[in-house]
Amino acid sequence: MRTSCVTADDALPLALVDYLQKAERIAVLTGAGMSAESGVPTFREAQTGLWERYDPLELATPEAFERDPQLVWDWYQWRRELVERSVPNAGHLALAELQKRIPGFTLITQNVDGLHELAGSEEVLELHGNICRSICSRTRQRINPEWLARHCGQSPIPSPHHPQGLVRPDVVWFRESLDSYTLQRAIEAAADCQLMLVIGTSGLVHPAASIPMLAVERNALMIEVNPAASELSRHARWRLDGSAATWLPRLVAALRS
Ligand code: BV8
């Protein structure tokens, strides 16, 4: 199947608008590019200052936390501050509006910044967790934020839920399995959808990157929103060449027309 690249100067193809207007079941997968215009760097870009000399692919692992829990905790605290200074962009808001218009709409995200919920999206499937939540490293029970605020001075912070536990971010590290219920719901939504929207992801991290393929293998159409080609571009019927905050409001406007 041929991929048509649509630039920001082009009008949306009529066939795309027609397909979007008729779709009753839409699944969306977002990646770090979704939050780029909110000022949240992907963790590859985020490596500046003190963190420049560290490899994020090495830091975001259980082994790194085991080896140096304070270093990993400090890295996440630094990223949390970046996230807490960010706000949803026009792309996040457009997806929240799309959800209100399409009954069979499922939003799946690789992002850990919570910006989709902040924009008003509901029942977001956070495949990789949420950086603003903390859990016990042994029991995985959530840590009460008020409790955490009172104990943040310790380093590393012993968990209140287990004598050998430590407080860690509620994210999925590399070589950790995703939450099976969340992943299953994402798989079902992709397998059942008529249209798969893939926004701001390089398609390099698995199993997230394989989810859109479940849609394509069942003859759903894929629309990609990305200013650059990704590992998934060749499976897209259309690649909207540009940013999430540019294209997603245009898709919502096309629905209104
Ligand atoms: C798993 C949370 C089973 C943490 C993240 C060898 C050994 C073991 C495992 C593996 C292995 N090889 C492969 C694997 C699997 C591994 C993996 O995929 N590795 C990759 C590096 C090859 N996956 C795992 O380990 C997963 N678990 O497989 O469990 C298992 C169990 C035991 C042993 C083995 C296997 C867990 C993966 C989850 C990792 N956690 N995040 C944290 O954030 O600290 S991943 C993290 O990076 C993000 O969540 C996100 O998923 C990923 C970044 O990817 P993208 O979102 O795509 O972002 P990226 O920067 O790459 O691209 C941005 C895109 O946006 C670009 O295309 C750009 O053009 C575009 N863009 C830019 N601006 C805009 C834009 N688009 C639109 N608008 C714009 N304005």
Side-chain angles (χ1 to χ4, degrees), residues 30-37 42-45 56-57 60 75-76 79 110-112 127-129 131 171-178 199-208 224-230 242-245:
T30 65
M34 182 76 227
S35 298
E37 286 147 299
T42 63
F43 70 39
R44 294 184 187 82
E45 295 160 359
L57 291 180
W75 181 51
Y76 278 92
R79 287 175 61 199
Q110 300 173 83
N111 299 339
V112 297
L127 293 178
H128 296 156
I131 198 171
V171 298
V172 180
W173 280 327
F174 287 101
R175 290 187 286 286
E176 281 189 327
S177 299
L178 280 63
I199 305 159
T201 183
S202 57
L204 290 170
V205 173
H206 290 273
E224 182 179 37
V225 176
N226 198 321
S230 74
S243 77

Side-chain angles (χ1 to χ4, degrees), residues 1 15-16 19-20 27 193-198 212 215-216 218-224 235-238:
M1 178 265 311
L16 182 156
Y19 199 86
L20 177 67
C193 76
Q194 297 157 303
L195 175 58
M196 184 83 223
L197 260 180
V198 176
V216 171
R218 288 164 180 78
N219 301 317
L221 283 193
M222 183 195 292
I223 297 173
E224 182 179 37
H235 303 290
R237 175 66 189 80
W238 295 282

Side-chain angles (χ1 to χ4, degrees), residues 166-186:
L166 292 174
V167 174
R168 58 161 281 185
D170 185 11
V171 298
V172 180
W173 280 327
F174 287 101
R175 290 187 286 286
E176 281 189 327
S177 299
L178 280 63
D179 171 74
S180 51
Y181 177 63
T182 305
L183 181 57
Q184 188 51 36
R185 285 177 61 197

Side-chain angles (χ1 to χ4, degrees), residues 95-242:
L95 287 180
E97 182 170 346
L98 213 50
Q99 182 170 34
K100 292 186 178 73
R101 291 168 176 274
I102 313 275
F105 181 95
T106 305
L107 177 51
I108 306 157
T109 190
Q110 300 173 83
N111 299 339
V112 297
D113 55 35
L115 287 177
H116 284 302
E117 294 86 347
L118 218 51
S121 291
E122 295 173 349
E123 296 188 56
V124 180
L125 299 178
E126 293 180 315
L127 293 178
H128 296 156
N130 186 309
I131 198 171
C132 297
R133 290 193 304 259
S134 301
I135 54 174
C136 170
S137 61
R138 286 296 182 98
T139 68
R140 302 189 77 85
Q141 283 169 277
R142 290 205 180 162
I143 305 287
N144 178 299
E146 286 74 40
W147 180 93
L148 182 59
R150 293 196 301 275
H151 294 76
C152 236
Q154 293 174 274
S155 58
I157 307 168
S159 163
H161 299 300
H162 191 286
Q164 277 83 49
L166 292 174
V167 174
R168 58 161 281 185
D170 185 11
V171 298
V172 180
W173 280 327
F174 287 101
R175 290 187 286 286
E176 281 189 327
S177 299
L178 280 63
D179 171 74
S180 51
Y181 177 63
T182 305
L183 181 57
Q184 188 51 36
R185 285 177 61 197
I187 288 169
E188 286 165 4
D192 182 48
C193 76
Q194 297 157 303
L195 175 58
M196 184 83 223
L197 260 180
V198 176
I199 305 159
T201 183
S202 57
L204 290 170
V205 173
H206 290 273
S210 50
I211 288 172
M213 296 314 299
L214 297 169
V216 171
E217 284 155 12
R218 288 164 180 78
N219 301 317
L221 283 193
M222 183 195 292
I223 297 173
E224 182 179 37
V225 176
N226 198 321
S230 74
E231 287 297 306
L232 292 166
S233 298
R234 66 183 180 282
H235 303 290
R237 175 66 189 80
W238 295 282
R239 180 166 76 81
L240 305 182
D241 183 349

